[in-house]
Amino acid sequence: MGYGKRIDTLCSLLTESKTFADVGCDHGYCSEYMLKNGLCEKAILSDISKGSLQKAETLLWEYVASGRAVAVLGDGFYGVPSDTEQVLIAGMGGSEMVSILSDKTYGFMPLRFVLQPMHDAEKLRRYLLENGGYIERDFTFQDGKFYDVICGGREDKTHTTPAYSEAEYEFGRENLQTMPKAFVARTEKQLKNAIGYLAFPDLQAESRAELETRKKKLEGVLNGAIK
Ligand SMILES: C[S@@+](CC[C@H](N)C(=O)[O-])C[C@H]1O[C@@H](n2cnc3c(N)ncnc32)[C@H](O)[C@@H]1O
């Protein structure tokens, strides 16, 4: 694929689908991957920023000209039909993604989704599982920084997710079950930070107690006691 590890990881999680929407597409690389490889018949390129959308339109002008790609300037799922087979939202906050999915006018639970929140992954997991979504993949990877990615879709009889534990909401089910290298590295870094802060002699009692709790939780994740 050659787009860089983060985009390549996202592309590797995208599946063949008649219709595909890249919400917050910016450069449009994931749509290019879908269109060039014949993985979708039609792609919607959508972005709230005119300048960002123009990047995708420039990259994919031949597809736009032929009608296989449609560029939509708008917020969230504006212009994205609720029967779109697969939706990608990557590179924005988990809370922003929840706002898009839950929007009263345009929001819906996509038939299949690949979501890569920059933060607030816990809030996103909760929203998905409490609002008719199922989660199929949920893991951390590293491309310089650490990233979470959550794939799944609209829940039905054959696609359901057994209830998540509190720790799974916070850390991601696949991370706790299989401990990917990137997840272990991020957790070790978080633990090191907590230990570093605890070394400050002037910490207020409340902050110290919170850090001790955090330290114990991270140790529990790393030694497999917390699932
Ligand atoms: C950091 S870029 C990520 C681009 C690409 N998806 C990626 O992962 O590399 C975030 C993009 O999302 C767009 N964006 C932010 N909020 C949005 C919203 N509510 N609806 C549509 N696009 C949005 C921004 O304009 C920007 O182009």
Side-chain angles (χ1 to χ4, degrees), residues 6-7 10 22-27 46-49 52 74-76 89-92 96 100 116:
R6 185 181 67 86
I7 297 286
L10 298 176
D22 186 353
V23 175
C25 60
D26 195 18
H27 38 69
S46 116
D47 207 289
I48 200 168
S49 143
S52 293
D75 189 353
I89 318 179
M92 58 179 95
E96 173 102 53
I100 290 174
Q116 184 252 297

Side-chain angles (χ1 to χ4, degrees), residues 33 47 68 70 80 87 89 135 156 185 207 215:
Y33 165 79
D47 207 289
R68 275 189 69 200
V70 176
V80 179
V87 171
I89 318 179
I135 295 179
D156 61 23
S207 308
K215 175 174 167 277

Side-chain angles (χ1 to χ4, degrees), residues 48-223:
I48 200 168
S49 143
K50 201 171 173 183
S52 293
L53 188 63
Q54 255 162 16
K55 289 188 230 168
E57 283 181 283
T58 303
L59 179 74
L60 300 167
W61 69 271
E62 281 173 293
Y63 296 101
V64 174
S66 72
R68 275 189 69 200
V70 176
V72 177
L73 180 65
D75 189 353
F77 285 168
Y78 169 81
V80 179
S82 60
D83 62 353
T84 302
E85 275 188 22
Q86 184 170 221
V87 171
L88 168 72
I89 318 179
M92 58 179 95
S95 297
E96 173 102 53
M97 291 184 191
V98 169
S99 301
I100 290 174
L101 295 163
S102 63
D103 183 83
K104 283 209 166 64
T105 311
Y106 300 109
F108 59 89
M109 182 61 66
L111 288 163
R112 187 171 196 284
F113 56 72
V114 174
L115 306 174
Q116 184 252 297
M118 299 302 287
H119 40 77
D120 297 333
E122 176 175 354
K123 182 173 176 186
L124 181 60
R125 290 183 187 106
R126 281 188 200 280
Y127 178 81
L128 292 169
L129 294 183
E130 288 168 6
N131 291 277
Y134 75 94
I135 295 179
E136 183 181 275
R137 301 284 318 267
D138 183 357
F139 65 96
T140 301
F141 65 97
Q142 187 170 12
D143 179 12
K145 292 183 198 164
F146 296 105
Y147 299 98
D148 289 304
V149 65
I150 303 172
C151 309
R154 198 181 295 169
E155 192 178 35
D156 61 23
K157 278 184 191 143
T158 50
H159 298 94
T160 55
T161 307
Y164 263 38
S165 67
E166 280 305 304
E168 284 173 331
Y169 276 123
E170 185 172 348
F171 297 102
R173 171 164 288 174
E174 199 171 331
N175 283 333
L176 294 179
Q177 287 182 348
T178 67
M179 301 293 272
K181 228 168 93 180
F183 174 67
V184 172
R186 183 175 68 183
T187 310
E188 283 173 347
K189 189 175 167 191
Q190 289 167 335
L191 178 59
K192 200 172 153 197
N193 287 342
I195 292 169
Y197 293 134
L198 278 165
F200 285 115
D202 297 336
L203 273 183
Q204 294 202 339
E206 200 182 329
S207 308
R208 183 169 296 281
E210 274 172 24
L211 280 165
E212 286 290 359
T213 306
R214 178 91 183 134
K215 175 174 167 277
K216 269 197 194 117
K217 190 187 269 184
L218 296 171
E219 285 169 344
V221 166
L222 288 169
N223 69 27

